[in-house]
Amino acid sequence: MFHLFTHAFFKALLFLGSGSVIHSFKDEQDINQMGGVWKKLPYTWVLMIIGTLALTGFPLLSGFYSKDAIIEYAYLRGNTAGYYASTVGIFTALLTSIYSWRLIFKTFHGDYNNNKLKIDTMHESPLVMLIPLIVLAIGALFTGYFFKELFIGHSSSNNFWTDSIKFLSPLSLDHPPLWIIYFTPVIVVLSIPFSYYLFVKNKNITNWLKNENKPLYNFLINKWYFDELYDYIFVKPSKKIGIFFWKNIDIKFIDKFGPDGISNLIKIFSNKAVKFQSGYIYQYAFIMLLGFSALLTYLILI
Amino acid sequence: MIDNLNFIYPEIFISLSIMFLLLLGVFKKNSNSLVYNFSIIFLIFTLALIFNNPLQSNIYLFNDSYEINFFSSFMKILTISSGSFVLIASSRYLRIFKIFQIEYSILLLSSILGMMVMISSNDLIVFYIGLELQSLSLYVLASFNRDQIKSSESGLKYFILSALSSGLLLYGCSLIYGYTGSTNFIIISENIDPIKYGLTFGIVFILVGLAFKISAVPFHMWAPDVYEGSPTSVTLFFAVVPKIAALTVFIRFLYVPFINMIDQWQIIVIFLSIASMIFGALAAIGQKNLKRLVAYSSIGHMGFALAGLSTGTNEGVQSSIIYISIYILMNLGLFSCLFMLKRNDKYYENIDDLSGFSKNHPLISLSLLIILFSLAGIPPMAGFFAKFYLFKAIVKESMYFLAITGLLSTVISAFYYLRIIKIIYFDQEKEKYDSDYSIGLKLTLSLSTLLILLYFIYPSRLVEIVSRINII
Amino acid sequence: MNFPILSSLILLPLVGSLFILFVKSDSSNTHQSSKYVALFTSFVNFFISIYLWYLFDNTISEFQFVEDKEWLKGFVNYKVGIDGISILFILLTTFITPLSIIAINNSISFRLKEFLIAILVMESLMIGVFCSLDLIIFYLFFEGGLIPMFLIIGIWGGTRRIYSAFKFFLFTLLGSVLMLVAIIAIYWITGTTDVVQLYEFGIDWKYQNLLWLAFFSSFAVKTPMWPVHTWLPDAHVEAPTAGSVFLAAILLKLAGYGFIRFSLGLFPIASDFFTPLIYSLSLIAIVFISLVALMQDDMKKLIAYSSVAHMGFVTLGIFTLTQQGIEGSIIQMISHGLVSAALFLCVGVLYDRTHSRLINSYGGIVSIMPKYAVVFMIFTLAAIGLPGTSGFIGEFLILLGAFQKSIITALIASLGVIFAAAYMLWLYKRVVFGNLINKELFKIPDLNKSEIFILWSLAIPTLFFGFYPEPLINTIEISIQDLIQMYDLNLSSYAEFNGDDLIK
């Protein structure tokens, strides 16, 4: 819950910040097309960094408190799932920090990569866009600290959640081991220069990684193929069923045997009926007599 | 006996006027148009004479062989008024076809006289005489345009097949006479013994003869050829007037002497009705000639009228009568439109000739639209009410099979009416047709269209009149 | 007897069409003058119906403004009247008609006079359907509507118009003739065709199933329900824009209205009996037809199929037989009337400019026609049933009703909502966003004034009732309560009766 709360601030900050960047790049969303504009967009740059720091859980920023709290409590559960969760949590925190920094570095540092727009045309977003950013940045910086006690404090007298959240088992009030508390922030902090190195200084490594693990890279760049999976499981069959119902059921079945079929049948009968009329009197007389004798026979038989 | 002659003044008057017109035509040169106009006037006068009769009472004449009651008067009124409208609408057509001769209207009048006798007959012999009188005139009328092969052919066909059916009919009459000892309807009904096969035979023979006259399937074979071959004015007459008389005889014959044998004849009538409805609807779809199409459509409509008869109730008979009255109205309107398809003194009668008709003749096509939808039985036109009363009577007797078959054939027949509408409204336009319509034609068309369209405003009147007809 | 306000509603368009008929056809400004006459009459009619709504008392469930005159002696009376259910449909009709008359600006290039006459005749017939209180009168108006619609599709339609017109006409006629038999049968069973009396006395349950089926055959075709829906896409695609608007907005509502008024009202026991049938057909319509809609490459066809899916919701809601379900269905119908009309108009706007209905000939419209993109967006979202649009209220209530009866049904139905979002958004994406590939599109202008007027006058109620559905719900609430009460009463007495049977 706490994380959701703080998350709101820095995610909103990041979104608006990137919106500001995208705006100045004239609606360019691809970060590969950006770079090196931090001097041009100083406020945005600063604010983005604050957001990123908060997101990655940099010590003393809001994300730090909330995220670490999750990891710690997961650890504190003490069972396998808890350890597992905390390990995964730490690992993802690392990854998060790398990719967030990648965003910052690629966007604001390095070489200017946009061919369409000249760098000179870059300019800071108008004030209207910046003010909300600043407000959010303040939130991202300090909410963690200020609301820590309120939300997750052990000893808070004013129990904010009271009974709205039920724990399955009471949490142990022990403090987690010290290394757990410091581990995450440390690797997060360490990851900053690491990703700077990766994405700005030496692109060869990433390129090498990319080339070496092509399938994996593709897998990752396509978001684990989730979209394709959806496409494969839901969209394609839906389309197929749609076409089937349209072409086969509607047109080939209902229409063929329904209106069209009946009208064709009627046309066939009508042709027969027309041909029936031959124009020869003897045939006419014969049919009359035939009908007449049929009627008689019927009446005699019943 | 002689006091009662005033009840048959209409018949006497019409026979006298036939003779008068004949004399006039023979002795006065170039009296074609005079005779023609006179015959219309005489018909209207006859109409007035019928109205002059006490309509409500039941009067038997000539040893009960001739009956005049509300039913017969109503049918006579229908016959004569539709006959006069046929004459009114078709004068210009006859002139252009150069068959505007004295014989034409005289034959028409004598045929009407025959029908009046048929309608009032209460005796097999009288009925037969009336039938033959009208048939003989019709044979001639069918081949009236003698220079045209088709017309002569149709006359001949009609004559031969009609002779066959008349033979059957006469044989049926003699059978019935043999088994009941009388030709009078009332005595027959008293002496009837439903178990005897001879009587059943007799009924079937007579029904076949009558079915031929109203062209019910499978005794309809003459209709399309004759309708197509005859001059259009005669086709109109064929499509409308003899049906009234034949239907009346049908009703009287089934409901007066043989009502007790309903088990035997009901199934026959149902068969005739279903066969006519379905066959009429199916065969009409494939037609290219409008007159032929009308032939099949009238076969279908007769099927509906027979469906009403098959119920064996007053209500069924009344619904049949309503049906045929509205049917007459619609056909008069339809044929008036046919008479308007004239370009440079040539009449067109193929369906394709109507292509894009609405563009140049919006009002006529509007009336045609109304008439066709009415024929198809789509509300709120009069044709819907005709079918509605009919189905009301049929469903009352729980004859659901007949009702549903009838309705399905309505849907099928809607197809070919729609096809005509499609050709009129949706297709590419052709050359304009002449628009010098005679007043009589305009009158007929507008009157019938308005009646069809506005019937729904006050539908009770016709029902009220018809509901006074109680056969059983 | 007060002023016969309903009859005048029915008659006024007819009078207007008579006027148009006698407008001289050879003068140069025929088009203008006949259009003004049509607009004038339809607007007057709209204001009368608004006034009617104002007069309408929504605290009683009885029929109001009843007119009862002898028509077929001793058999059928000309009886009209409205309750909360019908008045909304009348309003919808009178509201849509002037809009569709304005909308014919570009799409009808010839025989405008006849078109206006057809539309006006159609309007009066539809109003007649919604306020008739006698089965025969109902049938009369119900079937009569076929004629103008046949002509509208056939004369002013696209290339395959003849096939579509015939299919439409014969399909629906076939459905309705069975209903005619049933109506006559009802007359002989009960001795009346007066709906109010039939409500009171009820129909013997022995006959109900068959009669219900006969009515169903007609309504199912008109709704249209799967599998008798195939006329609809054809008819829609070929009809001119104003025709499609009329067809989608009003004609499709006839059957929904008929289900509520007649199937539920007259045959409660049969309705209960056939509920599973309706559920399954509705679900098929919702799910599979949505998928079919997804795959269409013709915009009009897509919207037509989406109409089938939406009507699936309506039938589902009606036969949940809960207050919410039926209310939802009615609101859904009203909303669909507005939204689908608007969507067809949106397609019509594009079609008028480029003469193509294919989705892939568009793309990137947003940069050329921003105003258009906005309204199209609103209606797309309303068709999906986004909260804040009237579509949401309808679908939500229907699902709420369905959840009370059958959770599985409701779950499958909610699947349809997702599909709806899929095909509508995809359509929107392909048409409005994306790259401008088609060179022709560069030239086309944005909405003109009359188009803006029409679309916004449809958008405003869509949004208004999305946020504030109270007026609608208040109007229908009592009538529906009454209907459900009657229904429950019937069912329980039927159960009692059968229980007695078992004991004996």
Side-chain angles (χ1 to χ4, degrees):
Chain A
M1 275 303 166
F2 185 40
H3 188 60
L4 283 180
F5 179 64
T6 53
H7 184 268
F9 281 100
F10 51 73
K11 250 310 160 22
L13 175 62
L14 280 175
F15 267 122
L16 285 178
S18 51
S20 159
V21 176
I22 288 166
H23 173 71
S24 37
F25 272 97
K26 299 272 183 289
D27 300 333
E28 177 58 66
Q29 292 196 18
D30 189 348
I31 53 168
N32 285 324
Q33 299 281 317
M34 301 177 178
V37 291
W38 67 278
K39 277 185 191 148
K40 289 273 168 191
L41 308 168
Y43 301 109
T44 316
W45 176 63
V46 170
L47 293 167
M48 284 287 277
I49 285 181
I50 293 172
T52 309
L53 286 172
L55 171 72
T56 52
F58 196 78
L60 299 180
L61 294 182
S62 56
F64 165 70
Y65 290 103
S66 57
K67 198 177 249 179
D68 279 7
I70 292 175
I71 293 170
E72 281 159 29
Y73 281 120
Y75 181 79
L76 279 177
R77 284 293 298 275
N79 52 18
T80 329
Y83 289 126
Y84 175 70
S86 61
T87 320
V88 172
I90 292 169
F91 186 63
T92 47
L94 178 68
L95 288 180
T96 311
S97 130
I98 291 179
Y99 74 69
S100 318
W101 284 107
R102 171 173 174 260
L103 172 71
I104 295 289
F105 292 134
K106 282 211 132 188
T107 317
F108 294 102
H109 302 270
D111 304 324
Y112 184 76
N113 284 330
N114 198 317
N115 306 325
K116 290 181 206 150
L117 292 164
K118 293 223 170 101
I119 191 151
D120 304 335
T121 59
M122 292 287 110
H123 57 89
E124 185 58 272
S125 305
L127 208 58
V128 196
M129 288 176 83
L130 286 177
I131 288 173
L133 287 182
I134 293 167
V135 174
L136 287 169
I138 294 167
L141 284 171
F142 304 116
T143 45
Y145 184 74
F146 285 117
F147 290 96
K148 180 179 173 233
E149 277 303 305
L150 177 64
F151 278 88
I152 52 173
H154 298 298
S155 56
S156 67
S157 50
N158 52 337
N159 203 340
F160 183 76
W161 297 114
T162 53
D163 288 334
S164 36
I165 296 178
K166 296 260 195 294
F167 293 105
L168 286 175
S169 57
L171 287 168
S172 75
L173 291 174
D174 302 334
H175 266 288
L178 207 61
W179 66 269
I180 282 282
I181 300 180
Y182 292 109
F183 185 68
T184 343
V186 167
I187 58 165
V188 165
V189 174
L190 283 179
S191 70
I192 301 173
F194 175 64
S195 75
Y196 183 71
Y197 179 73
L198 269 185
F199 296 112
V200 181
K201 281 287 161 206
N202 194 347
K203 285 184 180 155
N204 293 336
I205 298 177
T206 45
N207 284 338
W208 171 77
L209 269 175
K210 229 190 265 182
N211 294 333
E212 281 299 290
N213 303 313
K214 200 79 189 174
L216 186 66
Y217 177 75
N218 278 337
F219 182 64
L220 293 178
I221 207 165
N222 285 315
K223 297 153 230 159
W224 287 47
Y225 289 108
F226 258 120
D227 287 354
E228 277 73 11
L229 200 65
Y230 283 138
D231 197 48
Y232 192 72
I233 296 178
F234 299 112
V235 180
K236 286 238 174 83
S238 310
K239 284 184 179 177
K240 270 195 188 138
I241 295 173
I243 288 182
F244 174 77
F245 258 81
W246 175 32
K247 300 269 188 201
N248 291 354
I249 305 277
D250 266 21
I251 293 176
K252 284 199 186 137
F253 191 77
I254 297 178
D255 269 1
K256 193 174 173 191
F257 291 102
D260 293 354
I262 292 173
S263 65
N264 281 337
L265 201 70
I266 285 172
K267 268 182 199 147
I268 292 167
F269 277 125
S270 134
N271 276 336
K272 291 255 153 66
V274 171
K275 289 213 180 98
F276 199 53
Q277 199 78 30
S278 60
Y280 296 114
I281 294 185
Y282 67 89
Q283 272 192 12
Y284 292 1
F286 179 66
I287 288 164
M288 276 173 64
L289 288 178
L290 215 62
F292 162 69
S293 24
L295 286 178
L296 264 188
T297 323
Y298 180 78
L299 276 185
I300 291 167
L301 287 180
I302 47 172
Chain B
M1 168 96 177
I2 290 299
D3 331 332
N4 287 342
L5 270 188
N6 57 342
F7 295 116
I8 55 163
Y9 276 161
E11 282 88 344
I12 293 171
F13 176 75
I14 210 167
S15 348
L16 285 178
S17 54
I18 289 168
M19 289 166 207
F20 168 71
L21 288 175
L22 204 55
L23 287 175
L24 186 74
V26 170
F27 289 111
K28 193 171 180 317
K29 287 252 156 78
N30 295 329
S31 56
N32 295 345
S33 106
L34 196 65
V35 170
Y36 197 83
N37 293 339
F38 261 124
S39 52
I40 296 174
I41 293 166
F42 288 152
L43 274 180
I44 292 168
F45 197 75
T46 320
L47 211 59
L49 282 176
I50 295 175
F51 275 112
N52 193 34
N53 270 345
L55 292 174
Q56 281 309 320
S57 50
N58 244 3
I59 295 149
Y60 293 97
L61 299 170
F62 310 123
N63 296 326
D64 295 351
S65 65
Y66 206 77
E67 184 184 11
I68 290 168
N69 54 13
F70 185 71
F71 176 45
S72 67
S73 303
F74 181 79
M75 289 319 238
K76 278 177 197 164
I77 291 167
L78 270 189
T79 311
I80 293 170
S81 45
S82 50
S84 42
F85 271 111
V86 170
L87 281 176
I88 288 171
S90 58
S91 64
R92 189 179 294 257
Y93 177 86
L94 294 171
R95 269 177 229 269
I96 285 165
F97 251 66
K98 303 208 172 57
I99 46 175
F100 193 67
Q101 289 158 3
I102 50 160
E103 293 89 346
Y104 182 84
S105 46
I106 292 169
L107 282 169
L108 219 123
L109 284 188
S110 41
S111 156
I112 288 177
L113 177 64
M115 288 167 203
M116 288 169 75
V117 173
M118 267 169 87
I119 288 169
S120 271
S121 64
N122 199 32
D123 188 290
L124 288 174
I125 305 277
V126 176
F127 150 67
Y128 190 76
I129 289 170
L131 184 81
E132 281 308 303
L133 180 55
Q134 68 114 17
S135 298
L136 278 171
S137 323
L138 287 179
Y139 302 148
V140 185
L141 278 173
S143 52
F144 204 80
N145 192 8
R146 61 174 195 278
D147 298 336
Q148 220 182 31
I149 291 179
K150 270 201 167 172
S151 181
S152 321
E153 181 194 332
S154 73
L156 196 63
K157 269 182 185 165
Y158 185 52
F159 173 67
I160 292 174
L161 293 173
S162 190
L164 177 65
S165 83
S166 292
L168 292 174
L169 202 130
L170 206 55
Y171 186 55
C173 292
S174 59
L175 269 176
I176 287 170
Y177 175 70
Y179 278 91
T180 57
S182 171
T183 55
N184 188 290
F185 284 179
I186 296 165
I187 301 174
I188 291 173
S189 75
E190 282 162 5
N191 293 348
I192 220 157
D193 184 1
I195 305 158
K196 284 183 181 143
Y197 271 132
L199 272 180
T200 316
F201 267 61
I203 290 175
V204 174
F205 273 109
I206 292 180
L207 279 185
V208 168
L210 287 173
F212 177 86
K213 292 290 169 216
I214 62 166
S215 67
V217 176
F219 311 105
H220 67 286
M221 304 297 288
W222 60 278
D225 292 0
V226 173
Y227 276 47
E228 193 192 350
S230 323
T232 311
S233 58
V234 180
T235 312
L236 170 59
F237 192 75
F238 262 117
V240 172
V241 191
K243 310 255 151 140
I244 309 168
L247 195 79
T248 317
V249 173
F250 227 112
I251 294 168
R252 289 187 54 82
F253 182 76
L254 292 177
Y255 283 79
V256 178
F258 293 112
I259 185 65
N260 292 328
M261 291 183 74
I262 186 165
D263 291 339
Q264 270 92 337
W265 59 256
Q266 191 174 32
I267 192 83
I268 299 176
V269 178
I270 291 177
F271 168 76
L272 291 176
S273 152
I274 289 182
S276 306
M277 289 190 291
I278 291 180
F279 189 84
L282 283 178
I285 291 175
Q287 300 306 324
K288 294 191 183 66
N289 184 296
L290 269 170
K291 278 152 78 181
R292 247 185 130 74
L293 186 133
V294 171
Y296 283 110
S297 115
S298 77
I299 290 171
H301 283 294
M302 281 305 121
F304 280 101
L306 283 180
L309 285 191
S310 69
T311 54
T313 57
N314 262 331
E315 208 151 74
V317 174
Q318 285 161 12
S319 71
S320 283
I321 294 167
I322 294 172
Y323 194 90
I324 196 138
S325 321
I326 292 173
Y327 163 82
I328 290 165
L329 202 60
M330 298 187 293
N331 263 349
L332 277 174
L334 185 63
F335 273 91
S336 318
C337 294
L338 265 180
F339 285 135
M340 289 175 173
L341 290 181
K342 177 176 70 98
R343 200 190 289 137
N344 301 331
D345 286 350
K346 188 174 181 318
Y347 281 90
Y348 291 81
E349 49 192 42
N350 278 339
I351 298 179
D352 291 336
D353 294 329
L354 280 170
S355 170
F357 191 58
S358 66
K359 197 83 177 181
N360 292 324
H361 309 271
L363 274 180
I364 304 172
S365 14
L366 187 65
S367 353
L368 200 50
L369 178 88
I370 290 165
I371 294 163
L372 288 168
F373 272 121
S374 174
L375 281 165
I378 308 294
M381 313 304 178
F384 165 72
F385 290 93
K387 290 212 164 77
F388 173 71
Y389 289 122
L390 205 71
F391 288 118
K392 193 180 142 212
I394 296 170
V395 170
K396 190 189 182 188
E397 298 303 303
S398 306
M399 297 158 86
Y400 291 106
F401 178 70
L402 185 61
I404 288 172
T405 322
L407 285 169
L408 291 184
S409 70
T410 306
V411 178
I412 299 174
S413 56
F415 181 78
Y416 60 84
Y417 294 122
L418 286 186
R419 201 168 62 113
I420 304 177
I421 293 167
K422 171 216 134 193
I423 287 167
I424 296 173
Y425 274 90
F426 307 171
D427 283 1
Q428 277 302 314
E429 62 186 281
K430 283 193 172 170
E431 258 179 275
K432 237 179 133 140
Y433 288 97
D434 294 347
S435 49
D436 53 335
Y437 318 121
S438 66
I439 297 172
L441 195 57
K442 278 191 214 160
L443 176 79
T444 318
L445 180 61
S446 41
L447 200 66
S448 55
T449 310
L450 282 180
L451 279 177
I452 290 169
L453 182 64
L454 301 179
Y455 179 81
F456 74 92
I457 292 177
Y458 190 56
S460 316
R461 187 76 201 136
L462 183 63
V463 184
E464 254 171 64
I465 295 168
V466 173
S467 65
R468 284 197 253 157
I469 298 171
N470 288 312
I471 294 289
I472 303 167
Chain C
M1 189 75 196
N2 295 326
F3 179 69
I5 188 163
L6 289 177
S7 297
S8 49
L9 265 181
I10 298 173
L11 277 179
L12 197 67
L14 282 183
V15 174
S17 62
L18 260 184
F19 266 107
I20 297 175
L21 188 68
F22 290 116
V23 169
K24 268 220 167 103
S25 56
D26 45 342
S27 61
S28 56
N29 52 359
T30 319
H31 283 201
Q32 279 307 318
S33 46
S34 43
K35 202 170 158 186
Y36 285 139
V37 174
L39 264 183
F40 177 74
T41 38
S42 56
F43 266 117
V44 169
N45 230 19
F46 176 57
F47 289 123
I48 294 179
S49 62
I50 290 275
Y51 181 62
L52 187 72
W53 198 16
Y54 166 75
L55 288 180
F56 183 78
D57 180 0
N58 58 22
T59 54
I60 51 172
S61 67
E62 276 93 46
F63 288 98
Q64 301 172 37
F65 309 103
V66 175
E67 296 164 34
D68 198 347
K69 285 198 195 70
E70 195 171 58
W71 186 57
L72 290 180
K73 238 180 199 150
F75 174 36
V76 179
N77 280 7
Y78 169 76
K79 188 168 183 183
V80 291
I82 49 170
D83 66 351
I85 301 169
S86 31
I87 187 165
L88 288 184
F89 290 103
I90 292 174
L91 273 171
L92 182 70
T93 314
T94 53
F95 177 61
I96 293 290
T97 314
L99 293 184
S100 58
I101 289 173
I102 301 174
I104 57 183
N105 245 352
N106 305 318
S107 53
I108 308 293
S109 51
F110 62 103
R111 295 201 203 166
L112 187 81
K113 228 175 81 171
E114 284 92 334
F115 189 83
L116 292 169
I117 294 174
I119 288 265
L120 286 180
V121 170
M122 192 79 186
E123 180 186 13
S124 70
L125 289 173
M126 291 305 104
I127 296 173
V129 168
F130 291 129
C131 55
S132 51
L133 285 184
D134 189 288
L135 290 173
I136 307 277
I137 306 277
F138 170 77
Y139 185 82
L140 215 67
F141 286 123
F142 192 74
E143 282 295 288
L146 285 180
I147 300 174
M149 206 60 219
F150 173 75
L151 295 176
I152 287 174
I153 299 172
I155 299 179
W156 295 279
T159 41
R160 262 161 56 90
R161 59 181 196 269
I162 291 162
Y163 171 79
S164 312
F166 272 73
K167 199 171 176 183
F168 164 76
F169 193 97
L170 295 177
F171 225 126
T172 37
L173 182 65
L174 187 64
S176 334
V177 287
L178 290 176
M179 183 165 81
L180 183 62
V181 177
I183 291 175
I184 297 171
I186 287 176
Y187 176 75
W188 289 120
I189 292 167
T190 62
T192 179
T193 51
D194 184 335
V195 175
V196 182
Q197 285 182 29
L198 285 172
Y199 276 176
E200 251 169 62
F201 301 129
I203 296 170
D204 197 342
W205 54 268
K206 279 181 291 192
Y207 306 109
Q208 281 197 12
N209 282 1
L210 274 178
L211 292 174
W212 188 92
L213 278 178
F215 272 74
F216 173 73
S217 73
S218 170
F219 293 150
V221 172
K222 269 258 161 76
T223 313
M225 295 179 84
W226 191 87
V228 282
H229 63 281
T230 56
W231 62 269
L232 181 81
D234 283 316
H236 265 316
V237 169
E238 297 308 334
T241 304
S244 315
V245 167
F246 224 88
L247 190 63
I250 302 161
L251 220 63
L252 295 192
K253 310 299 172 291
L254 292 185
Y257 174 77
F259 272 128
I260 297 175
R261 171 78 74 229
F262 301 114
S263 294
L264 293 192
L266 299 181
F267 322 116
I269 292 144
S271 297
D272 186 58
F273 181 77
F274 285 110
T275 301
L277 173 77
I278 296 273
Y279 277 7
S280 28
L281 291 183
S282 305
L283 289 181
I284 292 176
I286 291 172
V287 174
F288 291 116
I289 297 304
S290 300
L291 292 177
V292 173
L294 194 65
M295 294 322 297
Q296 297 303 318
D297 38 23
D298 181 319
M299 291 194 279
K300 264 190 157 180
K301 235 177 179 163
L302 191 149
I303 298 169
Y305 271 112
S306 85
S307 292
V308 180
H310 279 121
M311 294 321 280
F313 271 105
V314 171
T315 45
L316 181 70
I318 293 171
F319 281 86
T320 56
L321 289 160
T322 53
Q323 178 91 22
Q324 291 88 349
I326 298 177
E327 271 173 19
S329 293
I330 291 174
I331 293 175
Q332 172 83 343
M333 280 195 267
I334 300 291
S335 140
H336 178 261
L338 298 172
V339 173
S340 67
L343 285 173
F344 277 117
L345 283 167
C346 286
V347 175
V349 165
L350 287 184
Y351 184 75
D352 288 344
R353 286 165 172 68
T354 64
H355 295 282
S356 165
R357 290 186 306 254
L358 293 182
I359 296 171
N360 54 25
S361 61
Y362 296 100
I365 292 290
V366 66
S367 45
I368 310 167
M369 307 171 71
K371 292 179 203 161
Y372 174 77
V374 172
V375 277
F376 195 14
M377 188 72 197
I378 294 174
F379 293 118
T380 306
L381 294 177
I384 295 166
L386 197 80
T389 62
S390 52
F392 170 72
I393 313 280
E395 271 175 19
F396 178 72
L397 285 173
I398 291 170
L399 289 177
L400 210 62
F403 263 112
Q404 294 172 21
K405 290 282 164 148
S406 153
I407 291 178
I408 297 173
T409 310
L411 282 179
I412 300 175
S414 13
L415 208 62
V417 182
I418 300 170
F419 287 137
Y423 60 74
M424 282 315 298
L425 289 177
W426 202 30
L427 168 75
Y428 189 75
K429 191 202 115 190
R430 283 181 292 172
V431 172
V432 175
F433 296 133
N435 297 324
L436 260 171
I437 301 165
N438 194 339
K439 288 280 181 295
E440 280 176 33
L441 295 180
F442 284 110
K443 284 173 277 174
I444 60 176
D446 204 348
L447 301 180
N448 59 31
K449 270 185 192 150
S450 67
E451 285 161 347
I452 290 176
F453 173 74
I454 307 168
L455 290 172
W456 277 103
S457 46
L458 285 165
I460 289 166
T462 310
L463 295 175
F464 177 76
F465 291 126
F467 285 108
Y468 187 66
E470 285 303 304
L472 297 183
I473 291 178
N474 282 341
T475 312
I476 53 182
E477 199 166 21
I478 301 278
S479 303
I480 293 176
Q481 260 171 22
D482 197 52
L483 185 74
I484 289 180
Q485 228 166 22
M486 198 170 69
Y487 171 80
D488 288 340
L489 209 72
N490 264 306
L491 273 196
S492 56
S493 64
Y494 172 69
E496 241 170 58
F497 183 84
N498 267 13
D500 286 352
D501 245 15
L502 287 178
I503 294 161
K504 279 169 194 167

